[in-house]
Amino acid sequence: MSTVEVPLPGFAPALVEAGQHGRLVRWRAVTAIALLAGYGGYYVCRSNLSVATPALLADPASGLDRAAIGLISSAGIFAYAAGKSVTGIAGDFLGGRTLFLGGLFLSVLATLAFGAGGGLPTLLAIWIANRFVQSAGWGGVTKIAAHWYPATRYGAVMSLLSLSFLFGDAAGRYLLGSLLSGGVSWRMLFVVAAAVLATIGVIDLVVLRDTPLDRGLPEPPVSPDNVFGAAGAATRPANLRDLLAPYLQSPSFWMVCGMACGTTLIREAFNTWIPIYLVEVHRLAPGLAARHSALFPLIGGVSALLVGAATDRFRHGNRAVLLAPAMALCTACLAVLAVATTARDLTWSMLAIGTTAFCLLGPYTLLAGAIAMDLGGRKGSATAAGLIDTAGYAGGALGGFAIGGIVDAGGWVPAFQAMAIVAAAVAALAFAYRADRRRPLPPPHPRFA
């Protein structure tokens, strides 16, 4: 017997809507996993230099000493900072997928070249190229995320994606440190790092899409507090002036850039020098020091999750409300680290490193993540992330060069004291940012209206 189905009024559209919602949830999850793994792979091809530094210094064939390592690190950060603005702006016109995958596969090639190279001029040039192309990664992440996720979840989503460079960094350091302890050469470390990133890149090439529209799904709303207003929901800007002008008149944007400068300086100093610090002050073996240094990004990842989820509950996009007290505590932790260094107490040093990570890295992830998306919407999220990170890594370059110089001149204690002063300055700026965000948004300047 055959039957004839008679749909109830409104029932079929409801089923379609429910099915579409289920597909949207699944593809959001797939996109988050792809971005998380992909940008984590970026960091395996970045933290490899820090992990390999003791082996590079011990290998006469490398032609490197501590000053050379500091130069390579700082030059790479300057290239990364410059590239952030260039690739961020380009990404808002080209799309996030092109930006993200392009930087990924170029980094694979540069990492292989570094492992095959030797001598300061060659390794310096290759590392500069690697850091420049890697600058495309986070802008691509924010551009894609701004299309896939609603503004009410920016904090939680971007804190989750921030685990890519926190846990990804920790996992990369632990993996490469274990290989180093097992007798693998520094050259083979770079080959392994490139292979990991290439494998992830092939998978992301298959699953990533710029926008839900490419899957036949709707896009979510953007933050109403973005600098473009209603136009922030557009996928691409009309021209360069349309993209950049609103940022130039936003005091909040420039305060975020200032905070990024200070927090990145401290973060890069820890990323670059903590393995060497543990070897020189606490006499750990290089491989063991690399594994101990993984504590910094690991604890930072926990902080990022807590801070991101909490700030989704704050009104008016004032996500940095936690930044000022956190940075005040960070100042105290750095002071404790200086004291523990004087006493050569490994337990207290590791405790201070862990608490510094907790106070610093959660708030740090907000700046070029959820806050960049709040300010940029879909239209300018890659640019916001790029410009904020450019300011950050301009300060972060000092984490390699200036902090290394302070250590050479006076030891590790004044280096940690200098970072404590920077943390206190960021805390003061965060108080000013919080007050500014409480005021109503100003009307556009006539020049940019």
Side-chain angles (χ1 to χ4, degrees), residues 113-125:
F114 194 99
L120 178 58
T122 299
L123 296 180
L124 177 63

Side-chain angles (χ1 to χ4, degrees), residues 48 51-52 81 88 109-111 205 249 310-311 321 343 356 409:
N48 49 8
V51 172
L109 297 177
T111 301
L205 182 65
Q249 62 173 326
T311 59
V321 68
T356 296

Side-chain angles (χ1 to χ4, degrees), residues 230-257:
T235 295
R236 289 176 173 80
N239 51 53
L240 192 60
R241 178 186 176 89
D242 178 49
L243 176 63
L244 295 179
Y247 292 117
L248 301 180
Q249 62 173 326
S250 172
S252 291
F253 172 74
W254 293 110
M255 291 179 190
V256 170
C257 289

